[in-house]
Amino acid sequence: MSRRDAGARDGDATRTAALWVPDWPVVAAMVDGEIDAHRPAAVHDGRLVTAVSASARAHGVRRGMRRRQAQECCPGLELLAVDEGRDARAFEPVASAAETVVAGLEIARPGLLLLPAAGASRYHGSEQALAERLVTVVAESTGHECQVGVADGLLAAVLAARSSRVVPAGRRERSSRRWASTCCSTPRRPSV
């Protein structure tokens, strides 16, 4: 048995594409007609803000803020309740559009699709071409902007989608560690 065969059996990650629609719960509320697209809006679960529109983010509203803190940043903020049914219903057209490009997708949650990339990237010519095709088809079919990332494994693909990157095969561990340290770290509180 060659070293390459042993590595493959020990759990080499599958090339995965992740399609991410940023701020999906707010976008779903806009699709449902609950708010106008130009209004600053945020979805909250009764305690914390869970999703923020781009216009609210421009006023300083962030995920994880308490309701009152978010309203202080943006007095005209439209607060919406979490509605998982609305989010799922509104995401179906996005999933259907992506499925015209890649078969066998999985909806991880409304706003995030996971897709097998190996066969689809060969069919479309490259992983970059696959990502571009997915973005184009979703935009043309639904009018929604999305980001696509391709990498080894689920976590790396989701992180790659957040920056619209195609990570070369075999670079999963290094890239995931770097992204996780920059996007998932929490700032330390100053000592009192």
Side-chain angles (χ1 to χ4, degrees):
M1 177 182 350
S2 72
R3 183 181 173 108
R4 183 180 178 113
D5 294 337
R9 286 191 354 195
D10 289 339
D12 279 350
T14 304
R15 291 299 283 173
T16 304
L19 184 147
W20 176 57
V21 182
D23 310 318
W24 181 254
V26 176
V27 172
M30 290 176 188
V31 167
D32 233 19
E34 292 180 38
I35 56 168
D36 293 329
H38 68 279
R39 299 263 337 243
V43 174
H44 73 98
D45 62 5
R47 216 177 107 237
L48 299 174
V49 171
T50 59
V52 181
S53 70
S55 58
R57 195 174 303 108
H59 285 91
V61 179
R62 300 288 182 262
R63 286 182 60 208
M65 284 183 158
R66 295 195 181 278
R67 180 182 52 83
R68 288 189 184 189
Q69 184 183 13
Q71 288 174 321
E72 285 174 11
C73 291
C74 181
L77 183 68
E78 182 82 28
L79 289 170
L80 305 161
V82 171
D83 185 346
E84 293 175 5
R86 171 198 63 212
D87 297 350
R89 280 189 310 276
F91 194 64
E92 280 301 317
V94 175
S96 295
E99 200 159 33
T100 65
V101 178
V102 179
L105 60 83
E106 175 184 342
I107 300 175
R109 62 174 168 75
L112 180 64
L113 294 174
L114 302 172
L115 313 107
S121 64
R122 282 192 302 272
Y123 178 80
H124 290 284
S126 70
E127 291 172 342
Q128 186 64 43
L130 168 64
E132 291 170 4
R133 182 74 182 137
L134 284 165
V135 169
T136 301
V137 166
V138 168
E140 289 174 353
S141 299
T142 66
H144 300 307
E145 294 181 5
C146 68
Q147 295 174 218
V148 176
V150 182
D152 292 336
L154 301 177
L155 174 63
V158 171
L159 292 173
R162 294 199 175 244
S163 57
S164 297
R165 294 188 55 188
V166 174
V167 179
R171 298 200 47 203
R172 178 182 120 217
E173 188 174 310
R174 215 173 330 152
S175 297
S176 295
R177 259 193 246 130
R178 182 179 35 126
W179 285 331
S181 68
T182 59
C183 75
C184 301
S185 63
T186 55
R188 293 181 181 234
R189 292 186 177 176
S191 57
V192 182

